[in-house]
Amino acid sequence: MKITFPQSILGLVLLNGSLYSSSSFEIPRARSATIRRLCSQTRATFLDTEIILFSDEDDLNGHTDQNSKSNTLPIHTQVIQKDTQEQDGQHDGQRQQQQQQQQQQQQQQPQKSPRNRASKRNRHQNPAMGDTKFLRKRTADLMRLASEDQHGGQVNGDHLKSKMKADRKTFNWLIDQWAFSGESDAVDKALALLRKMEELYQASQNTADNIRPDVRTYTKVINTISRSGRSDAGALADSILDQMETKYSSGKNDQAKPNTHTYTALVEAHANSGAPGAASRAEDICATMIQKWKDGDPDVKPTARSFNAAISAWAKSDLEGAARSAESILYQMNHVFETGNAEAKPNAYNYNSVINAWANSKHVGSAQRAEELLGRMEDLYIAGDPDIKPTTVTFNSVIDAWAKSGEEHAGIKAEEILRHMEELYHTGENVDAKPNARSFNSVINVWAKSSQEDAALKAEGVLDLMKRLYDEGNEDVQPDAHSFSTVINAWAKSKLPGKAQRALGLFREMKKSYLDGNESLRPNVVSYNAVMNACAFTSGDAFESNKAVEIAQAVLKDLQQSDFGSPDQVTYGTFLKVCGNQIPACDSRDKLVAVLFHKCMRDGQVSNLVLQQLKLVASEELYTLLIGRSPHEGTGMMDLPKEWCCNVVEGKW
């Protein structure tokens, strides 16, 4: 028996037994991995089993078009079925055990509608999702063959020479795949498919109903636009909505009436665009949804998802009062919910988005407001609302708000939240509030930014707690290179004596742990630069200064000889700062600066940061000799030979 799988085949379900050895197959290279995986998973035989070949035109989004049901597949495929009552008991037992495990896992997860489950499952199994060449080929074939039929006078989608149906289902499927493809031209492809559908429908004098774009078609296009993140996504999505409303109100297309999903995709398009005015427009669309719902429109109902997109838009905005606007939407949600719309019930995700808005706000008291919202969530959860249960993500967002606040007691407040998380988890009151590495790193970051005299000691104390908990078996709080580097930076800002030595000690501990097998503590350029920064800002007597220079030189040499990275513009700029702060002006300093600058030139790392520090540390004569210009000329990177700056990463300073 020989079975040829054409390019159009999307999946193969095989049951009962093992692969029959006398069968031979011709499988396209792009599909071979999928076929092997499915055969392995199902242990299939072709002697006593049912073989089902799914075509591209099958509805892979979990929907069924009642008008297109057929006993035959739209592509040249076969269904080979042989009756059998024999079953392998061992395989049955294995399948039953797997089914029980899957059921237990499903019971532990939030329930999803069958429609959504089918849609996500089919996307994961879909070759187009991982093979953009396949997706492009299918799109090009459909567009070409649809055009041929259109010019040949056959536009009803049933007579394509490709053996592929050019109907609404096929077009919708391709548009949906472009939405999730991540390709830069996904929007262009989706719009081209939509235009082709409209052309075919018009060419049929509005009689080919199975090619007419419907609300799902337009919504999928808007979703593609939304997921693109383009700055013009909002305006482009608005234009699609205008088309839908015009076609529906004029009677040209009674299937183009926008619904909840359409408006939600529209809100997300504006929220994801980041364009000026996007947040206000997203909020306005939510207001439109509320009004349509109040007016009795059966197809439009504001949901938690649509509201959350508007909240997220404000969270990304840098406008004055953005966080307050985000919080006001949360109250609107609650009002809509209390007036009868269960789908608008606020949940923890909505609260987290508002907390993030306050965390990103520069408003005085923003961190305190974020913590108050956390307190409200805890009260609602204790009162019996499981949908508002704060999680580790929630607590981390509030800690982050304190880190960004710059307030004097931010470190104390952040550490209080961390202790509260530990208490909630260990007492069992909220096991979803278990602190993780990010929780600890965020608190360390708060202390690193603090101006308190003992901030560096506090930061190192949190790191010590992480290490102790990890050694006791809590793998969720394993310190990483970021943890150590942040504590080193805390010491760099400290005014305590011996900070260069403390920074070096932490670095050596991190490096030793990595060499002993702890992959998460692999040093990087940032780690080296942090130690050097501590050396640059060391204060004290001549001994302290000499020690700082000695450590900085040792660290630079170690970096140059290591496999952990190469010196960058920050490395050289910081070392020049060490020279300026720790070595008195003299010939020895000039010689050291000249040697360092030549190394920086050879590495292509001469940045504006390096030029600024060179101007501060070098004598006027030395600066002119090295740069070829007077320090009074305002020389920048653009004035230098390209090879001097070729490896500078912009924005790293």
Side-chain angles (χ1 to χ4, degrees), residues 365-376:
S366 58
Q368 183 60 44
R369 185 58 193 144
E371 188 168 346
E372 289 170 358
L373 283 168
L374 170 61
R376 176 172 171 76

Side-chain angles (χ1 to χ4, degrees), residues 219-288:
T219 301
K220 288 176 184 294
V221 173
I222 294 176
N223 186 43
T224 306
I225 295 169
S226 168
R227 296 178 66 87
S228 72
R230 288 170 42 159
S231 59
D232 63 343
L236 196 54
D238 279 338
S239 68
I240 301 296
L241 179 71
D242 290 341
Q243 291 180 41
M244 296 177 70
E245 291 177 333
T246 300
K247 291 179 183 295
Y248 177 74
S249 61
S250 66
K252 292 182 179 179
N253 189 346
D254 61 0
Q255 295 184 26
K257 182 178 182 293
N259 60 20
T260 297
H261 302 292
T262 310
Y263 283 104
T264 300
L266 183 64
V267 176
E268 291 174 343
H270 282 278
N272 295 337
S273 72
S280 295
R281 175 62 181 141
E283 186 173 356
D284 289 343
I285 298 167
C286 285
T288 299

